[in-house]
Amino acid sequence: MSNEIDFVSLLHKTQGYISQNYAAALADSSKYGQLRSYIEKYLHDTGYTVKDYSFRDLADRLYCEMAEYSIITQYLGRDEIEEININGWDDIAITYTDGRIEKAKEHFFSPQHAVDIVKRLLHHSGMIIDNATPMSQGHLPGNTRITALKEPLVDDDRGISVSIRLLHPSRVDMVQIVKGGNATKKMIDFLCMCLRYGVSFVVAGATSSGKTTLLNALLTSIPDNKRIFTIESGSRELSLVKVKDGEVINNVVHTLSRPSDNPTYDITQEDLVVASLRFNPDIVVVGEMRDTEAYSAVEASLTGHTVVSTIHASAADAAHMRLALLCQKRFPINFQTSLMQAGQAFPLVVYAHKLEDNSRKIMDISECVILPNGEREYHTLFRYHITKNELKRGKYKIEGYFEQPEIMSDNLKKKLLQFGVPQNTLEQFLVKEGDFK
């Protein structure tokens, strides 16, 4: 005869039973297989049941609570999920790769339960969060980035706030970008031409705006005999190695920075940018510029290397401002000089943005021209023009079109020709075609 009980009470009883009789199964992850058997034995012996749970589901849920990560286990490692946001113990939002954001149907039992589960998740990856260290950030196995905050950084009644970002190697190609309305074919072809023929550029935008996805897609256009050297921090999002019939057919070096408990042994993105130049690269790719590696990237571009990267910033002027500020951390020269060098090093800025309807667009591609007096002048080569943005019945409806307001400068044309672009390839971008409706 079954003995119905609520799940939280059963969990406490089961934990007490296991702790008293089989404590080693909780402390030693190699004995987790035995732990499942002990849980099933306890359920059989006691006859406990929980409404709406089968015996198997109940055993799985108890195991998940005791050995895994409670309700967030089901979301970890899934290809269709981009981010797990724990806003508080009773509020979990799941962001999918197609832009949907849905609230999880389940939540933790209490603020302390949420804290305990996140502590376990962090501990299994060598990180801690406690009263002395109420913020923890780093990387989990499976190419996952995590940032966690507990009280007093968040309110006591919320318990903990966590952002878990699942970093998937991009599966989006240039055809999908065009078909999905993120950009026009002409815009993508223009960027591919610049990338192949030596024009450094930076893709700017906020988190989840599609910066790395765009960069990954563009880099697949590079001929297989050209060497690409990529540099990323913590987790790898770029995936460029091509394999055919079991053989690697292109020329790619993927690298990751390596933090260390002893800062003396840190291998930073800046170190890898410097090292990359000794590999005779055709293109150096810095996954994201966020620190002093910006200075080395600017220097590399100014000395003739093709460098592409992403940066957290808005459109062109703001991106160069951010880049100059990062360079100042390494070499605090006159700020206007830093701004001029940033514009010279990265004459093109691609601004990617996630709109309110969760669509991602290349909002503009701008060229920075350095005038004789050192001032910067920006020209919008392509942009997305919004004609309608309405909220109806809780859903956004956005309409617009791409346009080509200006053509590239003579300086950019000259540089592309010097690096070998065919005249007929260049000419198609020297004629404005009006709106791409």
Side-chain angles (χ1 to χ4, degrees):
M1 182 175 178
S2 67
N3 184 7
E4 190 169 298
I5 189 174
D6 69 88
F7 181 81
V8 176
S9 297
L10 177 58
L11 175 61
H12 291 158
K13 287 179 179 292
T14 309
Q15 286 174 324
Y17 167 78
I18 299 293
S19 296
Q20 184 175 355
N21 297 281
Y22 308 104
L26 285 174
D28 186 350
S29 60
S30 66
K31 297 183 178 180
Y32 280 174
Q34 297 175 28
L35 175 62
R36 187 182 292 273
S37 298
Y38 299 146
I39 291 171
E40 292 177 357
K41 179 180 184 302
Y42 181 70
L43 292 178
H44 275 299
D45 292 347
T46 62
Y48 283 130
T49 63
V50 173
K51 185 179 179 180
D52 297 328
Y53 280 87
S54 68
F55 179 88
R56 174 55 55 195
D57 290 341
L58 191 54
D60 288 344
R61 178 67 189 275
L62 288 167
Y63 177 83
C64 186
E65 290 290 339
M66 297 171 68
E68 296 178 338
Y69 312 115
S70 184
I71 55 175
I72 62 174
T73 300
Q74 62 187 302
Y75 301 112
L76 294 171
R78 287 171 54 179
D79 289 344
E80 73 274 20
I81 290 177
E82 185 173 275
E83 193 160 358
I84 305 164
N85 282 303
I86 302 172
N87 302 320
W89 70 275
D90 58 352
D91 181 11
I92 301 173
I94 309 299
T95 302
Y96 291 85
T97 52
D98 62 4
R100 287 180 296 124
I101 300 176
E102 296 180 357
K103 290 297 182 76
K105 295 179 181 178
E106 298 177 291
H107 56 71
F108 297 103
F109 308 135
S110 66
Q112 188 58 50
H113 180 224
V115 172
D116 291 342
I117 292 299
V118 173
K119 279 185 175 181
R120 183 189 300 162
L121 180 62
L122 293 168
H123 175 72
H124 286 176
S125 301
M127 294 176 278
I128 61 170
I129 189 168
D130 54 25
N131 291 338
T133 311
M135 180 174 74
S136 183
Q137 51 187 338
H139 293 85
L140 306 175
N143 228 26
T144 300
R145 187 168 64 220
I146 184 169
T147 300
L149 308 173
K150 70 179 290 291
E151 51 83 23
L153 302 181
V154 298
D155 294 340
D156 290 355
D157 63 352
R158 308 308 295 144
I160 199 162
S161 179
V162 187
S163 170
I164 303 172
R165 186 165 176 81
L166 283 59
L167 305 174
H168 307 293
S170 178
R171 298 176 295 277
V172 178
D173 60 23
M174 291 180 288
V175 172
Q176 290 171 301
I177 287 174
V178 174
K179 283 186 176 181
N182 305 65
T184 65
K185 184 177 185 301
K186 187 172 185 179
M187 293 164 67
I188 296 299
D189 289 345
F190 172 74
L191 292 174
C192 288
M193 175 187 68
C194 292
L195 183 60
R196 178 175 174 181
Y197 293 103
V199 179
S200 298
F201 62 83
V202 62
V203 183
T207 301
S208 297
S209 58
K211 302 185 299 297
T212 304
T213 297
L214 173 64
L215 196 56
N216 197 90
L218 294 173
L219 286 163
T220 61
S221 69
I222 297 302
D224 292 340
N225 63 335
K226 286 182 176 284
R227 183 188 289 272
I228 303 172
F229 193 107
T230 76
I231 299 158
E232 296 181 86
S233 176
S235 297
R236 186 156 65 81
E237 295 180 77
L238 297 168
S239 183
L240 300 172
V241 176
K242 300 178 186 176
V243 178
K244 183 178 181 181
D245 299 327
E247 300 290 335
V248 176
I249 60 173
N250 61 343
N251 198 350
V252 177
V253 179
H254 282 309
T255 65
L256 288 173
S257 62
R258 189 199 69 179
S260 172
D261 292 336
N262 184 342
T264 305
Y265 299 108
D266 279 354
I267 305 296
T268 66
Q269 286 198 133
E270 182 179 15
D271 295 327
L272 290 172
V273 172
V274 174
S276 73
L277 304 185
R278 301 189 180 99
F279 280 73
N280 190 28
D282 292 289
I283 299 172
V284 177
V285 186
V286 184
E288 180 188 331
M289 290 187 288
R290 63 182 74 174
D291 208 331
T292 52
E293 66 274 357
Y295 177 76
S296 296
V298 166
E299 284 291 296
S301 180
L302 291 176
T303 53
H305 297 86
T306 305
V307 182
V308 291
S309 184
T310 71
I311 194 167
H312 277 95
S314 53
D317 186 39
H320 285 141
M321 186 79 70
R322 167 83 172 140
L323 190 53
L325 286 169
L326 293 176
C327 290
Q328 290 280 305
K329 296 174 71 173
R330 168 57 67 205
F331 197 56
I333 60 174
N334 177 274
F335 189 67
Q336 291 303 314
T337 302
S338 284
L339 271 175
M340 181 184 70
Q341 291 179 337
Q344 287 175 323
F346 295 97
L348 290 179
V349 177
V350 183
Y351 176 49
H353 185 60
K354 183 178 180 181
L355 298 174
E356 289 180 304
D357 63 354
N358 289 322
S359 66
R360 293 173 171 89
K361 303 286 185 186
I362 295 181
M363 297 302 291
D364 67 61
I365 301 174
S366 296
E367 181 191 356
C368 177
V369 176
I370 305 299
L371 301 177
N373 63 0
E375 293 294 317
R376 292 160 296 127
E377 182 177 271
Y378 289 95
H379 300 274
T380 303
L381 306 186
F382 300 92
R383 71 178 169 208
Y384 183 68
H385 184 81
I386 296 175
T387 57
K388 180 189 292 186
N389 187 348
E390 297 178 344
L391 179 61
K392 288 186 176 180
R393 294 186 290 277
K395 291 187 176 182
Y396 290 98
K397 181 175 179 57
I398 298 176
E399 296 179 359
Y401 57 87
F402 291 100
E403 59 184 359
Q404 185 181 359
E406 301 177 77
I407 61 173
M408 71 183 80
S409 70
D410 289 339
N411 286 340
L412 185 55
K413 285 188 288 186
K414 181 179 179 182
K415 184 169 186 177
L416 286 164
L417 289 168
Q418 286 175 335
F419 277 86
V421 66
Q423 185 70 43
N424 61 341
T425 299
L426 182 63
E427 285 177 353
Q428 63 182 305
F429 303 104
L430 303 180
V431 178
K432 292 195 291 184
E433 295 179 0
D435 305 336
F436 305 107
K437 294 184 180 178

